[in-house]
Amino acid sequence: MRNSDRLDRDERHRRIIGELQSNPTVRISHLAEAFGVSTETVRRDIDSLSSRGLVERTYGGAAAPMGREPSVRERNTAMVAERQRIAAVAIQAIAPGDVVMIDSGATTHHLAQRIAAEGIEVTVITNGLEIAEELGVSPNARVILCPGAYSAHEKGVYGQDTCDFLGRFHANVAFTSAGGITESGVTDVDSNACWVKRAMFKRAERRIFMMDNAKFNVRLLEIVMPLADLTDLVVDRPLPEKLAEAARNAGIITVVA
């Protein structure tokens, strides 16, 4: 991680998250030396990441969280450029007239914005209120909003009613994201959200997982699905070697935005 140049804040944040993907903890003193900044600067970086739920503070450093994810509102302000690139590539999987399932989330929110902006003729089934609001203004989008128990944390609906409702439909393609991905599969922290993702992918012919590089090799509380359940992966950077190999072995088409 040594770098003789002074890194800007966003790059330091990415490096801290990246370091925690391969090490359970990091030390403030080590990060300060590697980044060429003061320990106080790194401490402020960790405070900022901790407030967004991306790391857990420890004595003298930070650790990767396993059982908590920041709210969708917090996630909407992170990795914006990367998520916009991902959405610009993922939208190419949608043909006019398609039925599309879109999971609630920060990355999928960018996809919904793109669909509305381009005026694609599409039927969208979603559990996300912000997804429905973005697409509802488009004259070419028919929006079907799932029922369920509302989560302010995720700006979406979840539960048995949501999953049962999704089971009534067929989709050409489903889009989702999650907190992490490892060689064992997609991982997340909220069981209710995991069940909705599974329900959407079960009903879709093409199943696209969208994710930024901060989620590479992130192992969270629950395995949402094995890699074999995905058909496509859209990312902003190439996958690490072992993860890329696992994706290839699972027959996944990986596209770097």
Side-chain angles (χ1 to χ4, degrees):
M1 286 181 62
R2 286 187 178 276
N3 190 329
S4 58
D5 298 324
R6 184 183 178 92
L7 303 173
D8 64 29
R9 185 186 63 176
D10 289 344
E11 183 60 21
R12 292 196 308 271
H13 288 188
R14 280 191 285 269
R15 295 283 188 94
I16 292 170
I17 292 171
E19 183 77 353
L20 286 171
Q21 289 170 5
S22 56
N23 297 289
T25 62
V26 292
R27 301 286 297 175
I28 288 175
S29 57
H30 169 69
L31 294 173
E33 182 181 358
F35 296 164
V37 298
S38 69
T39 56
E40 285 301 315
T41 296
V42 175
R43 190 170 285 109
R44 287 194 295 269
D45 289 338
I46 290 175
D47 286 343
S48 175
L49 292 169
S50 176
S51 70
R52 292 156 53 195
L54 298 175
V55 306
E56 292 181 357
R57 292 185 61 182
T58 62
Y59 182 77
M66 182 172 287
R68 180 185 180 274
E69 185 173 44
S71 71
V72 71
R73 184 182 298 276
E74 293 170 313
R75 302 197 307 273
N76 277 338
T77 64
M79 311 289 279
V80 173
E82 292 85 350
R83 286 169 171 162
Q84 288 175 340
R85 295 205 311 272
I86 290 168
V89 170
I91 198 174
Q92 298 174 28
I94 303 174
D98 272 356
V99 176
V100 178
M101 290 184 177
I102 303 180
D103 187 23
S104 179
T107 306
T108 51
H109 187 201
H110 288 288
L111 176 65
Q113 290 176 324
R114 189 92 185 195
I115 294 171
E118 296 191 13
I120 298 174
E121 180 186 352
V122 66
T123 296
V124 173
I125 304 166
T126 183
N127 66 320
L129 269 67
E130 290 187 333
I131 305 293
E133 288 173 351
E134 289 288 351
L135 289 164
V137 300
S138 172
N140 295 324
R142 177 190 180 197
V143 180
I144 300 173
L145 184 61
C146 298
Y150 175 66
S151 166
H153 188 270
E154 289 298 319
K155 299 291 184 182
V157 294
Y158 301 90
Q160 190 63 52
D161 288 341
T162 311
C163 294
D164 288 348
F165 185 79
L166 288 167
R168 292 168 46 186
F169 300 93
H170 294 286
N172 299 101
V173 58
F175 297 92
T176 189
S177 188
I181 187 169
T182 72
E183 296 167 49
S184 299
V186 177
T187 68
D188 214 309
V189 300
D190 187 323
S191 289
N192 285 326
C194 292
W195 281 113
V196 169
K197 297 176 197 300
R198 295 178 189 123
M200 285 188 173
F201 272 30
K202 186 177 181 180
R203 306 307 300 172
E205 297 170 4
R206 191 171 180 183
R207 302 170 298 279
I208 301 179
F209 184 62
M210 309 159 62
M211 66 173 210
D212 57 73
N213 66 85
K215 299 172 181 176
F216 294 173
N217 290 323
V218 172
R219 183 173 285 104
L220 296 173
L221 178 66
E222 185 168 347
I223 296 176
V224 183
M225 60 189 73
L227 293 181
D229 284 1
L230 314 178
T231 60
D232 300 78
L233 196 54
V234 183
V235 295
D236 65 316
R237 292 185 186 177
L239 296 172
E241 183 178 350
K242 289 185 178 180
L243 184 55
E245 182 181 0
R248 285 193 300 270
N249 291 339
I252 297 172
I253 298 171
T254 302
V255 179
V256 179

mmCIF file of all heavy atoms in Angstrom, residues 76 80 83-94 100-103 105-120 122 124 130-131 134-135 173-177 208-210 234:
data_model
loop_
_atom_site.group_PDB
_atom_site.id
_atom_site.type_symbol
_atom_site.label_atom_id
_atom_site.label_comp_id
_atom_site.label_asym_id
_atom_site.label_seq_id
_atom_site.Cartn_x
_atom_site.Cartn_y
_atom_site.Cartn_z
ATOM 1 N N ASN A 76 -26.192 6.124 -1.430
ATOM 2 C CA ASN A 76 -26.414 6.922 -2.631
ATOM 3 C C ASN A 76 -25.352 7.993 -2.826
ATOM 4 O O ASN A 76 -25.175 8.493 -3.944
ATOM 5 C CB ASN A 76 -27.795 7.591 -2.575
ATOM 6 C CG ASN A 76 -28.904 6.663 -3.031
ATOM 7 O OD1 ASN A 76 -28.666 5.704 -3.757
ATOM 8 N ND2 ASN A 76 -30.124 6.943 -2.605
ATOM 9 N N VAL A 80 -20.386 7.310 -6.580
ATOM 10 C CA VAL A 80 -21.396 7.767 -7.544
ATOM 11 C C VAL A 80 -20.921 7.573 -8.983
ATOM 12 O O VAL A 80 -21.646 7.028 -9.825
ATOM 13 C CB VAL A 80 -21.773 9.232 -7.281
ATOM 14 C CG1 VAL A 80 -22.698 9.751 -8.387
ATOM 15 C CG2 VAL A 80 -22.451 9.368 -5.920
ATOM 16 N N ARG A 83 -20.880 3.903 -9.955
ATOM 17 C CA ARG A 83 -22.212 3.332 -10.118
ATOM 18 C C ARG A 83 -22.891 3.842 -11.386
ATOM 19 O O ARG A 83 -23.657 3.112 -12.025
ATOM 20 C CB ARG A 83 -23.052 3.632 -8.877
ATOM 21 C CG ARG A 83 -22.648 2.770 -7.692
ATOM 22 C CD ARG A 83 -23.273 3.213 -6.404
ATOM 23 N NE ARG A 83 -23.028 2.224 -5.358
ATOM 24 C CZ ARG A 83 -23.146 2.465 -4.067
ATOM 25 N NH1 ARG A 83 -23.499 3.677 -3.646
ATOM 26 N NH2 ARG A 83 -22.907 1.522 -3.173
ATOM 27 N N GLN A 84 -22.619 5.072 -11.747
ATOM 28 C CA GLN A 84 -23.170 5.601 -12.994
ATOM 29 C C GLN A 84 -22.606 4.857 -14.195
ATOM 30 O O GLN A 84 -23.323 4.570 -15.156
ATOM 31 C CB GLN A 84 -22.899 7.100 -13.092
ATOM 32 C CG GLN A 84 -23.748 7.930 -12.140
ATOM 33 C CD GLN A 84 -23.388 9.403 -12.157
ATOM 34 O OE1 GLN A 84 -22.301 9.790 -12.582
ATOM 35 N NE2 GLN A 84 -24.300 10.237 -11.701
ATOM 36 N N ARG A 85 -21.309 4.527 -14.151
ATOM 37 C CA ARG A 85 -20.701 3.760 -15.243
ATOM 38 C C ARG A 85 -21.311 2.358 -15.308
ATOM 39 O O ARG A 85 -21.579 1.838 -16.399
ATOM 40 C CB ARG A 85 -19.185 3.650 -15.053
ATOM 41 C CG ARG A 85 -18.445 4.962 -15.146
ATOM 42 C CD ARG A 85 -16.986 4.732 -15.555
ATOM 43 N NE ARG A 85 -16.312 3.710 -14.786
ATOM 44 C CZ ARG A 85 -15.667 3.918 -13.650
ATOM 45 N NH1 ARG A 85 -15.641 5.151 -13.112
ATOM 46 N NH2 ARG A 85 -15.041 2.941 -13.014
ATOM 47 N N ILE A 86 -21.504 1.757 -14.162
ATOM 48 C CA ILE A 86 -22.094 0.427 -14.106
ATOM 49 C C ILE A 86 -23.499 0.448 -14.708
ATOM 50 O O ILE A 86 -23.870 -0.425 -15.503
ATOM 51 C CB ILE A 86 -22.130 -0.083 -12.654
ATOM 52 C CG1 ILE A 86 -20.703 -0.389 -12.167
ATOM 53 C CG2 ILE A 86 -23.013 -1.326 -12.520
ATOM 54 C CD1 ILE A 86 -20.597 -0.627 -10.680
ATOM 55 N N ALA A 87 -24.294 1.451 -14.343
ATOM 56 C CA ALA A 87 -25.662 1.564 -14.863
ATOM 57 C C ALA A 87 -25.675 1.754 -16.371
ATOM 58 O O ALA A 87 -26.529 1.194 -17.075
ATOM 59 C CB ALA A 87 -26.380 2.729 -14.176
ATOM 60 N N ALA A 88 -24.711 2.538 -16.886
ATOM 61 C CA ALA A 88 -24.643 2.797 -18.325
ATOM 62 C C ALA A 88 -24.380 1.523 -19.117
ATOM 63 O O ALA A 88 -24.834 1.390 -20.259
ATOM 64 C CB ALA A 88 -23.560 3.834 -18.613
ATOM 65 N N VAL A 89 -23.666 0.575 -18.519
ATOM 66 C CA VAL A 89 -23.405 -0.710 -19.176
ATOM 67 C C VAL A 89 -24.569 -1.667 -18.959
ATOM 68 O O VAL A 89 -25.031 -2.338 -19.891
ATOM 69 C CB VAL A 89 -22.091 -1.325 -18.652
ATOM 70 C CG1 VAL A 89 -21.932 -2.760 -19.143
ATOM 71 C CG2 VAL A 89 -20.904 -0.487 -19.095
ATOM 72 N N ALA A 90 -25.074 -1.732 -17.743
ATOM 73 C CA ALA A 90 -26.135 -2.692 -17.419
ATOM 74 C C ALA A 90 -27.403 -2.441 -18.234
ATOM 75 O O ALA A 90 -28.099 -3.393 -18.616
ATOM 76 C CB ALA A 90 -26.452 -2.622 -15.930
ATOM 77 N N ILE A 91 -27.695 -1.199 -18.541
ATOM 78 C CA ILE A 91 -28.926 -0.861 -19.266
ATOM 79 C C ILE A 91 -28.953 -1.476 -20.656
ATOM 80 O O ILE A 91 -30.016 -1.670 -21.250
ATOM 81 C CB ILE A 91 -29.095 0.677 -19.340
ATOM 82 C CG1 ILE A 91 -30.547 1.031 -19.687
ATOM 83 C CG2 ILE A 91 -28.118 1.288 -20.315
ATOM 84 C CD1 ILE A 91 -30.826 2.514 -19.633
ATOM 85 N N GLN A 92 -27.783 -1.817 -21.183
ATOM 86 C CA GLN A 92 -27.708 -2.406 -22.517
ATOM 87 C C GLN A 92 -28.339 -3.792 -22.581
ATOM 88 O O GLN A 92 -28.602 -4.316 -23.673
ATOM 89 C CB GLN A 92 -26.257 -2.458 -22.977
ATOM 90 C CG GLN A 92 -25.605 -1.093 -23.110
ATOM 91 C CD GLN A 92 -24.118 -1.173 -23.419
ATOM 92 O OE1 GLN A 92 -23.644 -2.123 -24.029
ATOM 93 N NE2 GLN A 92 -23.369 -0.171 -22.974
ATOM 94 N N ALA A 93 -28.596 -4.391 -21.430
ATOM 95 C CA ALA A 93 -29.239 -5.704 -21.381
ATOM 96 C C ALA A 93 -30.751 -5.613 -21.557
ATOM 97 O O ALA A 93 -31.420 -6.641 -21.684
ATOM 98 C CB ALA A 93 -28.922 -6.398 -20.058
ATOM 99 N N ILE A 94 -31.296 -4.398 -21.563
ATOM 100 C CA ILE A 94 -32.746 -4.200 -21.665
ATOM 101 C C ILE A 94 -33.127 -3.892 -23.105
ATOM 102 O O ILE A 94 -32.602 -2.960 -23.711
ATOM 103 C CB ILE A 94 -33.208 -3.055 -20.753
ATOM 104 C CG1 ILE A 94 -32.812 -3.327 -19.298
ATOM 105 C CG2 ILE A 94 -34.721 -2.872 -20.862
ATOM 106 C CD1 ILE A 94 -33.107 -2.167 -18.360
ATOM 107 N N VAL A 100 -38.832 -6.158 -16.625
ATOM 108 C CA VAL A 100 -37.598 -6.053 -15.855
ATOM 109 C C VAL A 100 -37.915 -5.982 -14.368
ATOM 110 O O VAL A 100 -38.805 -5.234 -13.953
ATOM 111 C CB VAL A 100 -36.807 -4.795 -16.268
ATOM 112 C CG1 VAL A 100 -35.534 -4.659 -15.439
ATOM 113 C CG2 VAL A 100 -36.472 -4.837 -17.752
ATOM 114 N N MET A 101 -37.208 -6.762 -13.561
ATOM 115 C CA MET A 101 -37.307 -6.645 -12.110
ATOM 116 C C MET A 101 -36.079 -5.894 -11.605
ATOM 117 O O MET A 101 -34.949 -6.219 -11.986
ATOM 118 C CB MET A 101 -37.382 -8.026 -11.451
ATOM 119 C CG MET A 101 -38.684 -8.757 -11.715
ATOM 120 S SD MET A 101 -38.799 -10.346 -10.824
ATOM 121 C CE MET A 101 -40.457 -10.860 -11.284
ATOM 122 N N ILE A 102 -36.315 -4.880 -10.776
ATOM 123 C CA ILE A 102 -35.225 -4.069 -10.238
ATOM 124 C C ILE A 102 -35.350 -4.001 -8.718
ATOM 125 O O ILE A 102 -36.346 -3.518 -8.184
ATOM 126 C CB ILE A 102 -35.230 -2.638 -10.825
ATOM 127 C CG1 ILE A 102 -35.157 -2.691 -12.358
ATOM 128 C CG2 ILE A 102 -34.067 -1.833 -10.259
ATOM 129 C CD1 ILE A 102 -35.158 -1.317 -13.016
ATOM 130 N N ASP A 103 -34.345 -4.477 -8.055
ATOM 131 C CA ASP A 103 -34.297 -4.487 -6.593
ATOM 132 C C ASP A 103 -34.006 -3.085 -6.063
ATOM 133 O O ASP A 103 -33.309 -2.285 -6.700
ATOM 134 C CB ASP A 103 -33.193 -5.449 -6.157
ATOM 135 C CG ASP A 103 -33.135 -5.676 -4.667
ATOM 136 O OD1 ASP A 103 -34.150 -5.462 -3.990
ATOM 137 O OD2 ASP A 103 -32.065 -6.077 -4.187
ATOM 138 N N GLY A 105 -32.074 -0.304 -4.102
ATOM 139 C CA GLY A 105 -30.664 -0.169 -3.758
ATOM 140 C C GLY A 105 -30.052 1.059 -4.385
ATOM 141 O O GLY A 105 -30.660 1.723 -5.232
ATOM 142 N N ALA A 106 -28.822 1.365 -3.972
ATOM 143 C CA ALA A 106 -28.144 2.562 -4.473
ATOM 144 C C ALA A 106 -27.695 2.397 -5.919
ATOM 145 O O ALA A 106 -27.883 3.299 -6.748
ATOM 146 C CB ALA A 106 -26.941 2.874 -3.584
ATOM 147 N N THR A 107 -27.105 1.260 -6.252
ATOM 148 C CA THR A 107 -26.642 1.042 -7.621
ATOM 149 C C THR A 107 -27.817 0.914 -8.578
ATOM 150 O O THR A 107 -27.803 1.473 -9.686
ATOM 151 C CB THR A 107 -25.755 -0.213 -7.691
ATOM 152 O OG1 THR A 107 -24.695 -0.107 -6.732
ATOM 153 C CG2 THR A 107 -25.141 -0.369 -9.077
ATOM 154 N N THR A 108 -28.845 0.185 -8.180
ATOM 155 C CA THR A 108 -30.022 0.028 -9.037
ATOM 156 C C THR A 108 -30.769 1.351 -9.206
ATOM 157 O O THR A 108 -31.454 1.554 -10.210
ATOM 158 C CB THR A 108 -30.977 -1.037 -8.467
ATOM 159 O OG1 THR A 108 -31.242 -0.748 -7.089
ATOM 160 C CG2 THR A 108 -30.365 -2.426 -8.583
ATOM 161 N N HIS A 109 -30.639 2.253 -8.238
ATOM 162 C CA HIS A 109 -31.252 3.578 -8.352
ATOM 163 C C HIS A 109 -30.689 4.318 -9.562
ATOM 164 O O HIS A 109 -31.413 4.973 -10.315
ATOM 165 C CB HIS A 109 -31.005 4.370 -7.067
ATOM 166 C CG HIS A 109 -31.728 5.679 -7.015
ATOM 167 N ND1 HIS A 109 -31.351 6.705 -6.202
ATOM 168 C CD2 HIS A 109 -32.814 6.144 -7.690
ATOM 169 C CE1 HIS A 109 -32.157 7.739 -6.365
ATOM 170 N NE2 HIS A 109 -33.053 7.415 -7.268
ATOM 171 N N HIS A 110 -29.372 4.200 -9.768
ATOM 172 C CA HIS A 110 -28.753 4.827 -10.937
ATOM 173 C C HIS A 110 -29.268 4.196 -12.227
ATOM 174 O O HIS A 110 -29.452 4.889 -13.243
ATOM 175 C CB HIS A 110 -27.232 4.696 -10.852
ATOM 176 C CG HIS A 110 -26.605 5.574 -9.820
ATOM 177 N ND1 HIS A 110 -26.509 6.946 -9.959
ATOM 178 C CD2 HIS A 110 -26.052 5.289 -8.613
ATOM 179 C CE1 HIS A 110 -25.913 7.452 -8.900
ATOM 180 N NE2 HIS A 110 -25.632 6.477 -8.060
ATOM 181 N N LEU A 111 -29.508 2.896 -12.207
ATOM 182 C CA LEU A 111 -30.057 2.227 -13.382
ATOM 183 C C LEU A 111 -31.449 2.767 -13.701
ATOM 184 O O LEU A 111 -31.766 3.047 -14.868
ATOM 185 C CB LEU A 111 -30.112 0.724 -13.150
ATOM 186 C CG LEU A 111 -30.758 -0.104 -14.259
ATOM 187 C CD1 LEU A 111 -29.932 -0.028 -15.537
ATOM 188 C CD2 LEU A 111 -30.935 -1.561 -13.822
ATOM 189 N N ALA A 112 -32.291 2.925 -12.681
ATOM 190 C CA ALA A 112 -33.642 3.454 -12.895
ATOM 191 C C ALA A 112 -33.595 4.863 -13.482
ATOM 192 O O ALA A 112 -34.379 5.202 -14.391
ATOM 193 C CB ALA A 112 -34.413 3.450 -11.577
ATOM 194 N N GLN A 113 -32.695 5.688 -12.980
ATOM 195 C CA GLN A 113 -32.543 7.033 -13.520
ATOM 196 C C GLN A 113 -32.181 6.992 -14.994
ATOM 197 O O GLN A 113 -32.691 7.784 -15.806
ATOM 198 C CB GLN A 113 -31.466 7.798 -12.738
ATOM 199 C CG GLN A 113 -31.868 8.173 -11.317
ATOM 200 C CD GLN A 113 -30.740 8.849 -10.560
ATOM 201 O OE1 GLN A 113 -29.564 8.505 -10.730
ATOM 202 N NE2 GLN A 113 -31.082 9.795 -9.707
ATOM 203 N N ARG A 114 -31.314 6.064 -15.348
ATOM 204 C CA ARG A 114 -30.858 5.944 -16.739
ATOM 205 C C ARG A 114 -31.999 5.473 -17.651
ATOM 206 O O ARG A 114 -32.163 5.965 -18.776
ATOM 207 C CB ARG A 114 -29.696 4.960 -16.793
ATOM 208 C CG ARG A 114 -28.973 4.891 -18.107
ATOM 209 C CD ARG A 114 -27.818 5.841 -18.121
ATOM 210 N NE ARG A 114 -27.176 5.883 -19.432
ATOM 211 C CZ ARG A 114 -25.969 6.404 -19.639
ATOM 212 N NH1 ARG A 114 -25.293 6.925 -18.633
ATOM 213 N NH2 ARG A 114 -25.452 6.423 -20.844
ATOM 214 N N ILE A 115 -32.771 4.506 -17.182
ATOM 215 C CA ILE A 115 -33.899 4.006 -17.971
ATOM 216 C C ILE A 115 -34.893 5.133 -18.245
ATOM 217 O O ILE A 115 -35.383 5.302 -19.377
ATOM 218 C CB ILE A 115 -34.598 2.845 -17.242
ATOM 219 C CG1 ILE A 115 -33.666 1.638 -17.147
ATOM 220 C CG2 ILE A 115 -35.891 2.453 -17.951
ATOM 221 C CD1 ILE A 115 -34.191 0.527 -16.247
ATOM 222 N N ALA A 116 -35.197 5.928 -17.212
ATOM 223 C CA ALA A 116 -36.134 7.038 -17.375
ATOM 224 C C ALA A 116 -35.586 8.089 -18.331
ATOM 225 O O ALA A 116 -36.308 8.619 -19.190
ATOM 226 C CB ALA A 116 -36.445 7.661 -16.018
ATOM 227 N N ALA A 117 -34.295 8.411 -18.187
ATOM 228 C CA ALA A 117 -33.682 9.438 -19.033
ATOM 229 C C ALA A 117 -33.676 9.040 -20.502
ATOM 230 O O ALA A 117 -33.852 9.895 -21.390
ATOM 231 C CB ALA A 117 -32.261 9.722 -18.559
ATOM 232 N N GLU A 118 -33.486 7.759 -20.783
ATOM 233 C CA GLU A 118 -33.428 7.294 -22.165
ATOM 234 C C GLU A 118 -34.800 6.954 -22.731
ATOM 235 O O GLU A 118 -34.925 6.653 -23.930
ATOM 236 C CB GLU A 118 -32.490 6.089 -22.268
ATOM 237 C CG GLU A 118 -31.037 6.429 -21.934
ATOM 238 C CD GLU A 118 -30.071 5.316 -22.281
ATOM 239 O OE1 GLU A 118 -30.473 4.370 -23.008
ATOM 240 O OE2 GLU A 118 -28.908 5.392 -21.841
ATOM 241 N N GLY A 119 -35.828 6.982 -21.873
ATOM 242 C CA GLY A 119 -37.191 6.752 -22.346
ATOM 243 C C GLY A 119 -37.438 5.371 -22.906
ATOM 244 O O GLY A 119 -38.223 5.201 -23.859
ATOM 245 N N ILE A 120 -36.799 4.362 -22.334
ATOM 246 C CA ILE A 120 -36.953 2.999 -22.826
ATOM 247 C C ILE A 120 -38.366 2.489 -22.526
ATOM 248 O O ILE A 120 -38.894 2.683 -21.428
ATOM 249 C CB ILE A 120 -35.910 2.073 -22.170
ATOM 250 C CG1 ILE A 120 -34.495 2.527 -22.547
ATOM 251 C CG2 ILE A 120 -36.121 0.624 -22.597
ATOM 252 C CD1 ILE A 120 -33.402 1.764 -21.837
ATOM 253 N N VAL A 122 -40.613 -0.110 -21.302
ATOM 254 C CA VAL A 122 -40.307 -1.213 -20.407
ATOM 255 C C VAL A 122 -41.389 -1.344 -19.342
ATOM 256 O O VAL A 122 -42.061 -0.369 -18.994
ATOM 257 C CB VAL A 122 -38.928 -0.971 -19.736
ATOM 258 C CG1 VAL A 122 -38.972 0.234 -18.812
ATOM 259 C CG2 VAL A 122 -38.423 -2.191 -19.000
ATOM 260 N N VAL A 124 -41.539 -2.411 -15.464
ATOM 261 C CA VAL A 124 -40.629 -2.609 -14.333
ATOM 262 C C VAL A 124 -41.407 -3.074 -13.113
ATOM 263 O O VAL A 124 -42.396 -2.447 -12.713
ATOM 264 C CB VAL A 124 -39.861 -1.316 -13.999
ATOM 265 C CG1 VAL A 124 -39.045 -1.497 -12.721
ATOM 266 C CG2 VAL A 124 -38.945 -0.942 -15.152
ATOM 267 N N GLU A 130 -37.985 4.465 -4.329
ATOM 268 C CA GLU A 130 -37.240 5.447 -5.122
ATOM 269 C C GLU A 130 -37.106 4.988 -6.569
ATOM 270 O O GLU A 130 -37.090 5.815 -7.486
ATOM 271 C CB GLU A 130 -35.862 5.684 -4.501
ATOM 272 C CG GLU A 130 -35.920 6.432 -3.178
ATOM 273 C CD GLU A 130 -34.547 6.809 -2.654
ATOM 274 O OE1 GLU A 130 -33.555 6.112 -2.986
ATOM 275 O OE2 GLU A 130 -34.453 7.806 -1.923
ATOM 276 N N ILE A 131 -37.017 3.677 -6.782
ATOM 277 C CA ILE A 131 -36.984 3.142 -8.144
ATOM 278 C C ILE A 131 -38.298 3.473 -8.852
ATOM 279 O O ILE A 131 -38.315 3.945 -9.998
ATOM 280 C CB ILE A 131 -36.777 1.610 -8.138
ATOM 281 C CG1 ILE A 131 -35.520 1.214 -7.343
ATOM 282 C CG2 ILE A 131 -36.747 1.066 -9.555
ATOM 283 C CD1 ILE A 131 -34.230 1.636 -7.951
ATOM 284 N N GLU A 134 -38.550 7.235 -9.697
ATOM 285 C CA GLU A 134 -37.711 7.628 -10.834
ATOM 286 C C GLU A 134 -38.369 7.241 -12.153
ATOM 287 O O GLU A 134 -38.382 8.019 -13.114
ATOM 288 C CB GLU A 134 -36.336 6.961 -10.730
ATOM 289 C CG GLU A 134 -35.451 7.497 -9.619
ATOM 290 C CD GLU A 134 -34.912 8.887 -9.898
ATOM 291 O OE1 GLU A 134 -35.069 9.398 -11.028
ATOM 292 O OE2 GLU A 134 -34.328 9.484 -8.974
ATOM 293 N N LEU A 135 -38.909 6.022 -12.212
ATOM 294 C CA LEU A 135 -39.464 5.513 -13.462
ATOM 295 C C LEU A 135 -40.902 5.963 -13.699
ATOM 296 O O LEU A 135 -41.373 5.960 -14.841
ATOM 297 C CB LEU A 135 -39.387 3.986 -13.463
ATOM 298 C CG LEU A 135 -37.974 3.432 -13.596
ATOM 299 C CD1 LEU A 135 -37.922 1.966 -13.214
ATOM 300 C CD2 LEU A 135 -37.479 3.623 -15.018
ATOM 301 N N VAL A 173 -35.296 -9.944 -17.486
ATOM 302 C CA VAL A 173 -34.034 -9.695 -16.794
ATOM 303 C C VAL A 173 -34.309 -9.112 -15.418
ATOM 304 O O VAL A 173 -35.302 -8.386 -15.223
ATOM 305 C CB VAL A 173 -33.131 -8.740 -17.628
ATOM 306 C CG1 VAL A 173 -33.832 -7.416 -17.903
ATOM 307 C CG2 VAL A 173 -31.782 -8.513 -16.961
ATOM 308 N N ALA A 174 -33.479 -9.456 -14.450
ATOM 309 C CA ALA A 174 -33.563 -8.901 -13.092
ATOM 310 C C ALA A 174 -32.215 -8.289 -12.736
ATOM 311 O O ALA A 174 -31.164 -8.835 -13.078
ATOM 312 C CB ALA A 174 -33.938 -9.978 -12.083
ATOM 313 N N PHE A 175 -32.276 -7.156 -12.049
ATOM 314 C CA PHE A 175 -31.069 -6.448 -11.622
ATOM 315 C C PHE A 175 -31.070 -6.316 -10.108
ATOM 316 O O PHE A 175 -32.071 -5.917 -9.506
ATOM 317 C CB PHE A 175 -31.026 -5.042 -12.212
ATOM 318 C CG PHE A 175 -30.945 -4.987 -13.707
ATOM 319 C CD1 PHE A 175 -32.107 -4.910 -14.470
ATOM 320 C CD2 PHE A 175 -29.729 -5.001 -14.368
ATOM 321 C CE1 PHE A 175 -32.052 -4.847 -15.855
ATOM 322 C CE2 PHE A 175 -29.659 -4.943 -15.748
ATOM 323 C CZ PHE A 175 -30.819 -4.863 -16.496
ATOM 324 N N THR A 176 -29.954 -6.629 -9.502
ATOM 325 C CA THR A 176 -29.809 -6.405 -8.069
ATOM 326 C C THR A 176 -28.355 -6.117 -7.745
ATOM 327 O O THR A 176 -27.471 -6.242 -8.591
ATOM 328 C CB THR A 176 -30.311 -7.616 -7.260
ATOM 329 O OG1 THR A 176 -30.349 -7.277 -5.873
ATOM 330 C CG2 THR A 176 -29.408 -8.818 -7.442
ATOM 331 N N SER A 177 -28.131 -5.705 -6.517
ATOM 332 C CA SER A 177 -26.796 -5.545 -5.972
ATOM 333 C C SER A 177 -26.848 -6.058 -4.540
ATOM 334 O O SER A 177 -27.901 -6.508 -4.071
ATOM 335 C CB SER A 177 -26.349 -4.084 -6.030
ATOM 336 O OG SER A 177 -24.989 -3.963 -5.666
ATOM 337 N N ILE A 208 -28.678 -10.276 -13.473
ATOM 338 C CA ILE A 208 -27.505 -9.403 -13.510
ATOM 339 C C ILE A 208 -27.233 -8.807 -12.132
ATOM 340 O O ILE A 208 -28.100 -8.155 -11.542
ATOM 341 C CB ILE A 208 -27.690 -8.279 -14.543
ATOM 342 C CG1 ILE A 208 -27.920 -8.891 -15.946
ATOM 343 C CG2 ILE A 208 -26.485 -7.344 -14.555
ATOM 344 C CD1 ILE A 208 -28.144 -7.875 -17.032
ATOM 345 N N PHE A 209 -26.021 -9.043 -11.651
ATOM 346 C CA PHE A 209 -25.570 -8.474 -10.391
ATOM 347 C C PHE A 209 -24.657 -7.300 -10.699
ATOM 348 O O PHE A 209 -23.706 -7.432 -11.470
ATOM 349 C CB PHE A 209 -24.847 -9.531 -9.565
ATOM 350 C CG PHE A 209 -24.420 -9.061 -8.207
ATOM 351 C CD1 PHE A 209 -25.356 -8.653 -7.286
ATOM 352 C CD2 PHE A 209 -23.075 -9.025 -7.859
ATOM 353 C CE1 PHE A 209 -24.961 -8.219 -6.023
ATOM 354 C CE2 PHE A 209 -22.685 -8.591 -6.605
ATOM 355 C CZ PHE A 209 -23.628 -8.182 -5.685
ATOM 356 N N MET A 210 -24.943 -6.133 -10.115
ATOM 357 C CA MET A 210 -24.194 -4.898 -10.354
ATOM 358 C C MET A 210 -23.447 -4.528 -9.078
ATOM 359 O O MET A 210 -24.044 -4.485 -8.003
ATOM 360 C CB MET A 210 -25.167 -3.766 -10.722
ATOM 361 C CG MET A 210 -26.137 -4.119 -11.841
ATOM 362 S SD MET A 210 -27.611 -3.057 -11.836
ATOM 363 C CE MET A 210 -26.855 -1.448 -12.108
ATOM 364 N N VAL A 234 -21.737 -6.984 -13.670
ATOM 365 C CA VAL A 234 -21.270 -5.702 -14.205
ATOM 366 C C VAL A 234 -20.542 -4.972 -13.086
ATOM 367 O O VAL A 234 -21.129 -4.693 -12.030
ATOM 368 C CB VAL A 234 -22.428 -4.846 -14.742
ATOM 369 C CG1 VAL A 234 -21.882 -3.550 -15.358
ATOM 370 C CG2 VAL A 234 -23.236 -5.610 -15.778
#
